[in-house]
Amino acid sequence: MYSGYCYSRIPLMPMKEDKLYLSVKSGENVYHVFVKWNRKNGEYYVVFKDGPTVTIKDNFSLADTVIQPEVDGEIITFQLLSKDMGGNIVVQFQGTQFTVKVLDERTASYLTYMKEKPKQDTSKIIFAPMPGMIKSITAKVGDTVVEGQEVCVIEAMKMQNSLCFGVTGKIKTLHVQQGATVEDEQLLAELE
């Protein structure tokens, strides 16, 4: 908590009081917490909705990489691995990584309208990893290729890169020909 400022996806806003309502998402679980802090002695009181109150003593900031707060009288150590302005924080505790999303209540209420895009299965698709020229094509439509088998070679800046599929299957389409110039992320081939 930066001197009374709220870390969220919305631009930093000055806090009127030393308290904050947060939503913490870990996996599919969402925890609603109320945080009150005492600036003079660095104590944070975290109250979980329908749960316990936890006292944290430390003046840590999200700029620290190793954080050793006193939690209910016991010192714990965890490492802050990464954070972003979207409220995503990755910490490591006792060798296990935890990814959490920490947002103020108002921002968290907008998450129902901001659905995350499902990740596209790219194992059956080959995209150009960079702009370049197709140097050779070693397979044709209808061929069965195995995982890791070279399908084509792209040349960029005098370097040749072998491209292959991530799974075994039959080639459905080839979108390029030998000698063609391709752009970054251009679709080159697909499996059935």
Side-chain angles (χ1 to χ4, degrees):
M1 319 313 164
Y2 294 107
S3 304
Y5 281 79
C6 174
Y7 175 75
S8 74
R9 155 187 322 239
I10 293 178
L12 297 176
M13 309 172 325
M15 302 300 294
K16 293 179 181 161
E17 301 179 52
D18 291 343
K19 58 186 175 183
L20 185 62
Y21 291 93
L22 297 173
S23 289
V24 179
K25 182 177 181 189
S26 179
E28 294 301 314
N29 300 319
V30 176
Y31 304 96
H32 299 283
V33 296
F34 168 71
V35 180
K36 187 173 193 291
W37 63 91
N38 182 333
R39 291 176 200 257
K40 292 178 185 170
N41 64 5
E43 284 188 350
Y44 297 85
Y45 304 98
V46 180
V47 181
F48 289 86
K49 184 177 180 182
D50 303 325
T53 298
V54 178
T55 302
I56 301 172
K57 290 184 181 180
D58 193 8
N59 276 323
F60 68 88
S61 79
L62 290 177
D64 298 335
T65 55
V66 176
I67 301 171
Q68 292 183 301
E70 182 180 312
V71 179
D72 283 340
E74 181 182 344
I75 293 179
I76 64 165
T77 302
F78 62 94
Q79 183 178 8
L80 179 64
L81 299 176
S82 68
K83 62 188 178 298
D84 64 28
M85 289 306 291
N88 298 304
I89 299 173
V90 180
V91 296
Q92 183 168 308
F93 177 68
Q94 295 182 343
T96 303
Q97 285 187 15
F98 297 93
T99 302
V100 295
K101 182 180 278 285
V102 180
L103 300 170
D104 64 79
E105 284 283 315
R106 185 179 74 165
T107 304
S109 70
Y110 296 135
L111 288 179
T112 56
Y113 306 107
M114 300 182 296
K115 301 289 184 193
E116 289 187 28
K117 287 184 178 180
K119 296 204 185 247
Q120 182 182 15
D121 178 15
T122 58
S123 62
K124 295 184 175 187
I125 301 171
I126 296 177
F127 290 107
M130 65 197 82
M133 183 182 78
I134 301 298
K135 192 71 170 170
S136 66
I137 298 177
T138 56
K140 60 183 184 298
V141 174
D143 285 356
T144 299
V145 293
V146 295
E147 178 181 354
Q149 179 182 338
E150 181 181 285
V151 175
C152 62
V153 175
I154 186 171
E155 183 179 72
M157 300 186 313
K158 304 284 185 195
M159 301 267 307
Q160 294 186 4
N161 296 290
S162 178
L163 304 178
C164 54
F165 287 107
V167 295
T168 299
K170 187 184 251 186
I171 296 182
K172 176 179 164 184
T173 53
L174 290 171
H175 296 278
V176 291
Q177 297 176 356
Q178 186 172 333
T181 302
V182 295
E183 297 296 322
D184 185 32
E185 297 295 317
Q186 181 176 332
L187 181 60
L188 304 179
E190 298 177 75
L191 289 180
E192 289 182 352

